[in-house]
Amino acid sequence: EALARNVDTSVSTDAKRDYINAREALDAKGYTDLTVHQAILKWLKHEPIVSDQTVREAWDEFMTYKIDVLNITTDTQLSLVNCAFRSLEPWLDEPLTDFESDALVGKLKNYIDKNWKVPRTRSNHYSKTSEFFKWCARTCSPKKLTKNPLEDRDKIKVPKAKKNVCTVEQAEQILQEAWKTDKEEGMLAYWVITLFLGTRPQSEMQWLTWDDVYL
């Protein structure tokens, strides 16, 4: 407060400007009765982490750790990019520590909820993005965030997938028909892999190519 009255002549011009900026920021948020000193003490109480590192820079370190240390597969890498990276895309060039703010976390949740309506897809986006934040707050050293901002997110109810089980007789009929018509339809390999490996016809088999098959 003495600085505001310019009583302490040893204080630099930059320090005075910092004080004025802080006072104006508090007033703009409606904290007119809160002194700068009180605000700083309250801020320090939560032991915030201050860093100029952007979300993109933290993401690059996260993926390097996942690939080089944990040896995650290409599929897992793709899953992280398709879910977590895409969820964070609007804030990639913003400071990572902006996610210490509840306001920004709210924007992130709204972004995920708005863009991914299917419960299972939305749940994947939340879990993969939370995995990134968990690494920032717990795994890496020094820590980049004080906590995982998504750790208290609401759980999304994902409907259980319907399972249709073939009987032995049905499997035999399918394979016999696939064998007879393989020259025309080319479905024998599809049904052999589906039935004997238990792969999901739509979510797994539909996307397979021969490059994914290792005999």
Side-chain angles (χ1 to χ4, degrees), residues 88-118:
L88 296 166
E89 214 158 16
W91 300 280
L92 290 176
D93 296 320
E94 301 298 324
L96 175 68
T97 48
D98 280 2
F99 279 103
E100 298 281 7
S101 162
D102 290 336
L104 187 56
V105 176
K107 290 181 180 179
L108 171 62
K109 290 180 178 179
N110 289 337
Y111 182 78
I112 294 175
D113 293 342
K114 180 181 177 182
N115 286 278
W116 293 281
K117 303 292 186 184
V118 179

Side-chain angles (χ1 to χ4, degrees), residues 29 41 80 107 113 117-118 131 148 150:
K29 290 289 185 180
L41 290 178
L80 286 168
K107 290 181 180 179
D113 293 342
K117 303 292 186 184
V118 179
E131 190 176 334
N148 170 9
L150 293 179

Side-chain angles (χ1 to χ4, degrees), residues 12-205:
S12 68
T13 302
D14 288 341
K16 293 177 184 178
R17 172 47 59 187
D18 285 341
Y19 172 84
I20 294 170
N21 289 341
R23 181 70 266 164
E24 290 176 348
L26 288 172
D27 292 343
K29 290 289 185 180
Y31 299 115
T32 54
D33 295 332
L34 186 68
T35 67
V36 174
H37 180 245
Q38 290 170 331
I40 292 173
L41 290 178
K42 186 175 182 65
W43 183 74
L44 289 171
K45 183 180 179 181
H46 297 284
E47 299 181 358
I49 295 174
V50 181
S51 171
D52 291 331
Q53 189 175 44
T54 64
V55 175
R56 189 189 303 273
E57 290 168 340
W59 175 265
D60 290 341
E61 288 186 27
F62 167 69
M63 288 301 291
T64 299
Y65 171 80
K66 285 287 188 177
I67 295 169
D68 294 348
V69 178
L70 300 186
N71 297 315
I72 62 173
T73 64
T74 303
D75 289 341
T76 304
Q77 294 174 39
L78 188 61
S79 178
L80 286 168
V81 171
N82 284 340
C83 295
F85 187 82
R86 289 181 64 193
S87 296
L88 296 166
E89 214 158 16
W91 300 280
L92 290 176
D93 296 320
E94 301 298 324
L96 175 68
T97 48
D98 280 2
F99 279 103
E100 298 281 7
S101 162
D102 290 336
L104 187 56
V105 176
K107 290 181 180 179
L108 171 62
K109 290 180 178 179
N110 289 337
Y111 182 78
I112 294 175
D113 293 342
K114 180 181 177 182
N115 286 278
W116 293 281
K117 303 292 186 184
V118 179
R120 188 177 299 279
T121 304
R122 188 187 305 171
S123 179
N124 287 339
H125 275 263
Y126 270 114
S127 63
K128 295 300 181 184
T129 308
S130 181
E131 190 176 334
F132 165 70
F133 284 131
K134 191 185 299 181
W135 175 82
C136 291
R138 298 180 188 175
T139 306
C140 70
S141 182
K143 293 177 174 50
K144 301 177 185 296
L145 291 173
T146 56
K147 68 173 185 176
N148 170 9
L150 293 179
E151 63 186 1
D152 58 348
R153 68 189 188 278
D154 294 332
K155 289 187 177 180
I156 300 170
K157 291 183 179 180
V158 179
K160 291 184 178 179
K162 295 180 180 179
K163 294 183 179 179
N164 297 318
V165 180
C166 280
T167 64
V168 175
E169 291 76 14
Q170 288 172 332
E172 287 178 351
Q173 291 173 1
I174 290 171
L175 289 174
Q176 285 174 3
E177 191 63 27
W179 177 272
K180 293 176 186 176
T181 61
D182 191 48
K183 287 185 178 179
E184 298 81 21
E185 304 294 338
M187 292 294 290
L188 180 59
Y190 173 93
W191 282 111
V192 169
I193 295 172
T194 299
L195 293 171
F196 286 94
L197 297 185
T199 52
R200 300 178 179 91
Q202 292 186 357
S203 61
E204 296 175 344
M205 278 302 299

